[in-house]
């Protein structure tokens, strides 16, 4: 059911220094910071040959990653995103298997303008999983 790894998201306290690390030390191609107020984050996209890394910095009050950074002050891997062809079919299959879909269970438009769902980390080896319909 799941397809390609679309991205790995890393929460960071300081987007500028994290971006510099990837650009200057690791030699990656990085985007300009992209504020996404609807998602409470500012994102930098890092293009790798086989996938993307997204650096997430909290934006505004009540950012969904603020609590994560309180628990992980050095930053850390926040979620991984797998591609699916049909997000509603994927959701039904997962629910039938006992997995919990976060929020109200309805897909919403994610950072790439495509429908996404998040799955409870306790059901997936402690990893928050995002599914994105591509
Ligand atoms: Co994501």
């Amino acid at each position: 059911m799941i397809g390609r790894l679309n991205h790995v998201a890393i929460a960071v306290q300081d987007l500028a220094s994290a971006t510099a690390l990837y650009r200057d030390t690791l030699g990656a191609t990085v985007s300009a910071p992209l504020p996404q107020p609807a998602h409470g984050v500012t994102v930098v996209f890092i293009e790798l040959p086989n996938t993307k890394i997204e650096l997430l910095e909290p934006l505004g009050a009540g950012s969904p990653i603020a609590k994560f950074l309180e628990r992980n002050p050095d930053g850390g891997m926040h979620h991984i995103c797998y591609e699916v062809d049909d997000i509603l079919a994927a959701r039904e299959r997962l629910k039938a298997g006992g997995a919990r879909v976060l929020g109200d269970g309805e897909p919403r438009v994610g950072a790439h303008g495509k429908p996404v769902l998040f799955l409870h980390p306790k059901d997936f080896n402690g990893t928050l999983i995002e599914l994105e319909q591509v």
Side-chain angles (χ1 to χ4, degrees):
M1 179 182 71
I2 63 168
R4 286 161 39 97
L5 174 66
N6 184 275
H7 61 270
V8 175
I10 299 173
V12 302
Q13 301 273 15
D14 181 341
L15 192 57
S17 71
T19 302
L21 183 68
Y22 271 84
R23 183 188 58 227
D24 303 334
T25 306
L26 294 173
T29 301
V30 305
S31 77
L34 192 69
Q36 302 197 324
H39 297 282
V41 292
T42 302
V43 186
V44 164
F45 297 100
I46 298 165
E47 294 287 342
L48 303 181
N50 62 340
T51 190
K52 292 186 286 287
I53 305 294
E54 296 181 5
L55 303 176
L56 307 177
E57 182 186 62
L59 175 63
S63 168
I65 63 167
K67 274 207 171 62
F68 178 90
L69 284 170
E70 276 174 30
R71 293 194 303 270
N72 303 276
D74 295 331
M77 200 198 80
H78 185 261
H79 66 268
I80 59 179
C81 177
Y82 298 125
E83 298 179 355
V84 294
D85 291 331
D86 181 337
I87 202 162
L88 294 178
R91 178 187 67 184
E92 294 316 307
R93 176 172 167 162
L94 287 157
K95 283 167 68 177
R100 286 168 286 180
V101 178
L102 298 187
D104 65 3
E106 293 306 315
R108 60 194 190 107
V109 175
H112 307 111
K114 297 183 175 152
V116 303
L117 284 173
F118 285 90
L119 305 174
H120 201 298
K122 284 200 187 324
D123 297 336
F124 292 94
N125 313 107
T127 304
L128 177 60
I129 291 181
E130 178 180 22
L131 297 179
E132 180 173 297
Q133 181 172 293
V134 293

